[in-house]
C-alpha cells in the first residue's frame, strides 16, 4: 500500500479549509483516510498551519510520502517552531 501525506479539501465554496491527512494513495482526495495530522487554512492572513510534527515524522519513518504542497507546509511549520 502506497501511503501519502496530502491535503483533503473541506469548507465552503470558494472558501477552502484543508486537513492534512495520511491516506492510501489510491483513495480519492476527500475520501477515506488513515489519520488526520493537521489543518491548513489559507484564508487567514497569515495562513494558519497546524501540524502535529511528531505524527508526521512517525508516518514518514514508516514510509509515507508527502506531496509537494504538504512538504512545503511541513518546512514552513518547522521554521516557525
Amino acid at each position: 500500500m502506497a501511503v501519502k501525506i496530502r491535503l483533503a479539501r473541506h469548507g465552503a465554496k470558494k472558501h477552502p479549509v484543508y486537513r492534512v491527512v495520511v491516506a492510501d494513495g489510491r483513495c480519492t482526495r476527500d475520501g477515506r483516510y488513515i489519520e488526520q495530522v493537521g489543518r491548513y487554512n489559507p484564508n487567514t492572513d497569515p495562513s494558519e498551519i497546524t501540524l502535529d510534527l511528531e505524527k508526521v515524522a512517525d508516518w514518514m519513518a514508516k514510509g509515507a510520502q508527502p506531496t509537494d504542497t504538504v512538504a512545503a507546509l511541513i518546512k514552513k511549520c518547522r521554521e516557525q517552531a
Side-chain angles (χ1 to χ4, degrees):
M1 173 169 55
V3 178
K4 297 270 190 185
I5 303 174
R6 63 183 181 197
L7 297 176
R9 189 183 192 280
H10 293 275
K13 181 178 178 181
K14 298 193 179 190
H15 194 74
V17 176
Y18 298 94
R19 292 180 184 172
V20 181
V21 298
V22 178
D24 183 358
R26 297 170 293 185
C27 290
T28 59
R29 179 191 71 184
D30 298 333
R32 190 172 65 188
Y33 58 86
I34 300 168
E35 184 176 14
Q36 180 179 338
V37 294
R39 297 179 63 87
Y40 170 55
N41 185 357
N43 301 312
T44 60
D45 188 30
S47 297
E48 180 184 340
I49 304 167
T50 308
L51 288 176
D52 188 343
L53 293 175
E54 291 179 12
K55 286 183 181 180
V56 170
D58 185 44
W59 277 106
M60 290 176 74
K62 293 178 184 176
Q65 296 292 317
T67 60
D68 294 337
T69 306
V70 172
L73 291 176
I74 292 169
K75 182 179 177 184
K76 191 177 286 190
C77 190
R78 285 183 178 153
E79 290 173 358
Q80 291 176 356

